[in-house]
């Protein structure tokens, strides 16, 4: 093996990232692909994504649905609408539903438990993944007991100073990390993750991200390029690149061979072949959108988010063909982490 990422110190990681950012080394991508194939074969797990609410109490400087963005047309799906999305997804073959939303105060424990237990009752064999941000331990516990199996909470950046430049003072990296450890302790399969080329990010920050992932050992890692959203404080910053993002995906695959790594919508949004390139660099999950068409444009975390064609459940045949052409097989099983 050429890259012993797991054994590398911060400065060594920084050097590998830096050299690949300057001139991508094809062997790195090849090695990531080989490792992914040795664990999960050529399977790409499909998850049905349902964007439940774009109401958010948080004010992250990069995010399009931040509380302070008055240009957003806010919506919230009803339980019936969510169940209808699940039914459509189930008929299409999905066996994982990802319920994602902003930190919406209306979606309190009682309402979320009601939604989750209804989905759990109707689809006992399906995995339920949640992504509703930071919550107290008791809330995470209640949602787990209602039937949720997995939780996505990107750490966004593992460097304290960088975290502060992307978030208002009421949010802290320390609390974010605590949430991730709590979720793991409760028994969720946990997803961390970060944006690549986010404003003020240094290569040293990215090395810190890898060190944090090594320590946390999450089951899933969401990695996508930063993309500006014009009505946010960071709306004039530059978007991340495909080549930087796939370098970080490949390094994460080498660091965590068993992880489930999505080739993200953001990656598909910055390049027409972003999704395939992500898969070829070690990613093994794709999350097509099952949300009602009217909701999709309102869930705009960043500008020019793709939400139709192969990104969407309606374009499933198309997506399956794209995955095949990239050299892999679409897989509709639950796709749990191999050690779970
Ligand atoms: N560009 C790229 N990704 C973003 N996210 C939020 N805003 C942006 C943006 N402008 C990501 C964050 C968050 C996830 C739901 O979407 O990493 O955790």
């Amino acid at each position: 093996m050429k890259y012993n990422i797991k054994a590398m110190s911060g400065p060594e990681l920084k050097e590998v990232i830096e050299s690949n950012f300057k001139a991508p080394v094809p062997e790195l991508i090849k090695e990531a692909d080989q490792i992914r194939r040795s664990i999960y074969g050529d399977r790409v797990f499909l998850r049905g994504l349902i964007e439940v609410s774009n109401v958010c109490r948080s004010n992250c400087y990069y995010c399009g649905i931040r509380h302070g963005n008055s240009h957003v047309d806010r919506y919230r799906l009803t339980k019936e609408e969510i169940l209808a999305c699940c039914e459509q997804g189930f008929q299409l073959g999905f066996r994982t539903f990802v319920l994602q939303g902003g930190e919406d105060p209306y979606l309190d424990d009682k309402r979320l438990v009601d939604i989750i237990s209804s989905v759990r009752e109707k689809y006992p064999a399906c995995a339920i993944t949640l992504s509703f941000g930071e919550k107290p331990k008791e809330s995470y516990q209640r949602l787990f007991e209602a039937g949720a199996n997995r939780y996505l909470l990107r750490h966004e950046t593992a460097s304290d100073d960088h975290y502060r430049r992307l978030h208002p003072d009421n949010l802290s990296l320390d609390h974010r990390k605590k949430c991730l450890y709590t979720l793991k302790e409760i028994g969720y399969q946990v997803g961390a993750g970060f944006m690549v080329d986010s404003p003020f990010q240094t290569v040293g920050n990215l090395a810190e991200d890898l060190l944090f992932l090594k320590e946390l050992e999450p089951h899933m890692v969401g990695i996508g390029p930063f993309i500006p959203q014009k009505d946010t404080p960071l709306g004039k910053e530059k978007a991340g690149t495909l080549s930087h993002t796939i370098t970080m995906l490949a390094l994460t695959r080498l660091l965590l061979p068993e992880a489930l790594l999505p080739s993200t919508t953001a990656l598909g949004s910055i390049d027409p072949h972003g999704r395939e390139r992500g898969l070829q660099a070690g990613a093994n999950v794709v999350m097509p959108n099952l949300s009602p068409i009217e909701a999709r444009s309102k869930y705009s975390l960043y500008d020019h988010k793709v939400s139709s064609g192969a990104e969407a459940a309606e374009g499933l045949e198309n997506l399956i063909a794209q995955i095949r052409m990239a050299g892999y097989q679409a897989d509709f099983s639950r796709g749990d982490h191999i050690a779970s």
Side-chain angles (χ1 to χ4, degrees):
M1 183 155 114
K2 194 155 171 273
Y3 293 92
N4 192 1
I5 300 297
K6 282 185 203 175
M8 284 186 187
S9 65
E12 287 167 334
L13 288 169
K14 192 171 158 227
E15 209 180 296
V16 175
I17 299 168
E18 216 147 40
S19 65
N20 275 279
F21 275 14
K22 272 195 200 121
V25 181
E27 284 71 30
L28 171 71
I29 306 291
K30 255 186 231 146
E31 193 177 322
D33 185 52
Q34 272 164 14
I35 292 199
R36 155 266 172 67
R37 284 178 191 271
S38 74
I39 309 269
Y40 287 102
D42 61 358
R43 294 180 292 166
V44 172
F45 300 109
L46 299 188
R47 326 283 200 202
L49 174 66
I50 305 170
E51 293 159 340
V52 168
S53 164
N54 69 353
V55 177
C56 192
R57 64 178 171 158
S58 277
N59 231 348
C60 308
Y61 300 147
Y62 47 85
C63 183
I65 63 166
R66 66 199 299 270
H67 180 72
N69 186 358
S70 57
H71 295 89
V72 181
D73 187 3
R74 305 283 171 178
Y75 75 90
R76 180 183 297 123
L77 302 184
T78 63
K79 181 173 106 175
E80 290 66 35
E81 287 170 320
I82 296 167
L83 286 169
C85 292
C86 291
E87 184 53 30
Q88 188 209 357
F90 189 83
Q91 296 299 336
L92 286 167
F94 291 94
R95 294 297 177 265
T96 291
F97 303 121
V98 182
L99 309 184
Q100 182 163 68
E103 297 198 357
D104 180 352
Y106 179 84
L107 290 175
D108 57 11
D109 292 354
K110 194 162 162 272
R111 293 192 173 97
L112 282 177
V113 163
D114 182 38
I115 293 167
I116 295 161
S117 40
S118 305
V119 177
R120 173 51 63 234
E121 196 185 335
K122 268 196 95 182
Y123 308 101
C126 293
I128 301 175
T129 305
L130 304 180
S131 178
F132 292 104
E134 298 181 21
K135 291 182 180 293
K137 178 172 185 182
E138 302 70 53
S139 301
Y140 286 148
Q141 185 76 48
R142 285 188 197 112
L143 306 183
F144 186 75
E145 281 161 16
N149 314 97
R150 308 178 186 148
Y151 205 103
L152 307 176
L153 184 74
R154 290 190 181 176
H155 64 278
E156 312 296 358
T157 173
S159 312
D160 209 36
D161 51 336
H162 187 216
Y163 197 93
R164 280 179 230 252
R165 298 185 80 173
L166 298 178
H167 301 93
D169 286 348
N170 65 321
L171 299 176
S172 75
L173 175 60
D174 188 53
H175 190 256
R176 195 89 176 166
K177 286 186 176 175
K178 283 207 176 93
C179 286
L180 283 161
Y181 284 105
T182 301
L183 287 161
K184 240 188 139 179
E185 193 188 306
I186 291 172
Y188 283 96
Q189 292 176 49
V190 171
F194 56 93
M195 290 178 287
V196 178
D197 295 329
S198 61
F200 323 114
Q201 187 177 61
T202 62
V203 172
N205 295 149
L206 288 166
E208 287 281 335
D209 285 320
L210 294 179
L211 289 174
F212 173 61
L213 292 177
K214 183 164 85 169
E215 179 195 296
L216 176 69
E217 296 192 309
H219 305 83
M220 303 165 280
V221 187
I223 299 171
F226 163 76
I227 306 177
Q229 201 290 330
K230 62 178 173 22
D231 303 313
T232 62
L234 299 173
K236 291 205 157 52
E237 302 292 325
K238 268 198 351 231
T241 67
L242 175 65
S243 100
H244 288 181
T245 308
I246 63 172
T247 296
M248 294 313 299
L249 267 173
L251 290 170
T252 303
R253 170 60 66 204
L254 299 188
L255 185 72
L256 301 171
E258 300 179 344
L260 291 152
L261 302 181
S263 192
T264 56
T265 308
L267 196 54
S269 297
I270 58 162
D271 187 289
H273 299 293
R275 277 255 152 109
E276 294 98 300
R277 297 283 303 278
L279 295 176
Q280 289 163 342
N284 61 341
V285 170
V286 176
M287 297 170 23
N289 205 322
L290 291 177
S291 310
I293 309 257
E294 320 80 72
R296 290 183 204 168
S297 58
K298 297 179 188 162
Y299 202 88
S300 75
L301 305 178
Y302 43 81
D303 292 328
H304 314 297
K305 179 181 146 199
V306 286
S307 63
S308 58
E311 303 311 313
E314 316 82 76
L316 205 53
E317 288 307 316
N318 202 344
L319 175 66
I320 292 170
Q322 255 185 34
I323 292 172
R324 194 180 311 120
M325 266 149 22
Y328 307 93
Q329 294 295 330
D331 187 305
F332 280 91
S333 65
R334 269 175 63 121
D336 285 294
H337 184 268
I338 208 155
S340 297

